[in-house]
Amino acid sequence: MPLTSSLSVAANATLTSALDLATASAPVTVRAATTWQSGIGAGQADRVFSDRRTLAASATEDLDLAGVLLDAFGAAITFARVKGLYVRADAANVNNVVLGNATSNAWAALLGATGTLTLRPGAAVGLTTGAADATAYAVTAGTGDLLKVANSGAGTAVSYDIVIIGSSA
């Protein structure tokens, strides 16, 4: 099944200061964007997982990047490399969504084996490798393929959206 995908991360800001006769401004615009064509090499991706998920109070889950997740058509996905990742914590959450630090077989290519990233309610994170990067973030089936997602607290559930773009080799 052919896949065409893209991911972008952008920041826009303008700092202004009122002067005697004018207003000075310092605009900043930066953007990282990657588009992948279908395939497994540099500038290519052939797998995508996307879902809106909910975790009960204090719950965790390990997303197995090698052979357990299902694509939109119900086929099992095995990522060998992750080339793009997007995670957004729902704005209505009370607790945070925490990524990383799986107990065993952690996907350590991004955060290390024990590192975590905390997404406060409404927060989002996007990661894209450059189109020329064929290596990307490696997934090692059976020993380095679990992305842990956790609800940071008790009392309420959390929801989050996730999109993973990658290749099977």
Side-chain angles (χ1 to χ4, degrees):
M1 235 180 305
L3 171 69
T4 301
S5 54
S6 67
L7 184 82
S8 64
V9 180
N12 299 298
T14 302
L15 180 64
T16 59
S17 179
L19 305 174
D20 289 341
L21 298 175
T23 299
S25 69
V28 175
T29 300
V30 294
R31 181 173 184 256
T34 305
T35 298
W36 300 278
Q37 298 304 313
S38 192
I40 59 170
Q44 298 178 324
D46 66 345
R47 300 288 184 262
V48 63
F49 171 76
S50 62
D51 201 7
R52 169 163 284 175
R53 302 177 74 84
T54 300
L55 291 171
S58 302
T60 67
E61 66 179 344
D62 289 329
L63 301 179
D64 189 334
L65 303 178
V68 176
L69 298 177
L70 303 178
D71 70 14
F73 302 105
I77 303 169
T78 297
F79 288 103
R81 305 187 180 285
V82 171
K83 298 188 176 191
L85 175 67
Y86 170 85
V87 182
R88 181 182 176 279
D90 192 280
N93 290 346
V94 173
N95 299 335
N96 300 326
V97 173
V98 181
L99 303 175
N101 193 21
T103 304
S104 64
N105 301 334
W107 178 56
L110 181 61
L111 298 170
T114 60
T116 62
L117 178 64
T118 299
L119 298 178
R120 296 187 47 74
V125 63
L127 166 79
T128 176
T129 61
D133 184 357
T135 303
Y137 293 93
V139 175
T140 306
T143 60
D145 58 355
L146 298 180
L147 174 59
K148 180 179 178 181
V149 183
N151 181 338
S152 70
T156 62
V158 295
S159 295
Y160 68 97
D161 298 332
I162 185 165
V163 178
I164 304 169
I165 300 167
S167 63
S168 59

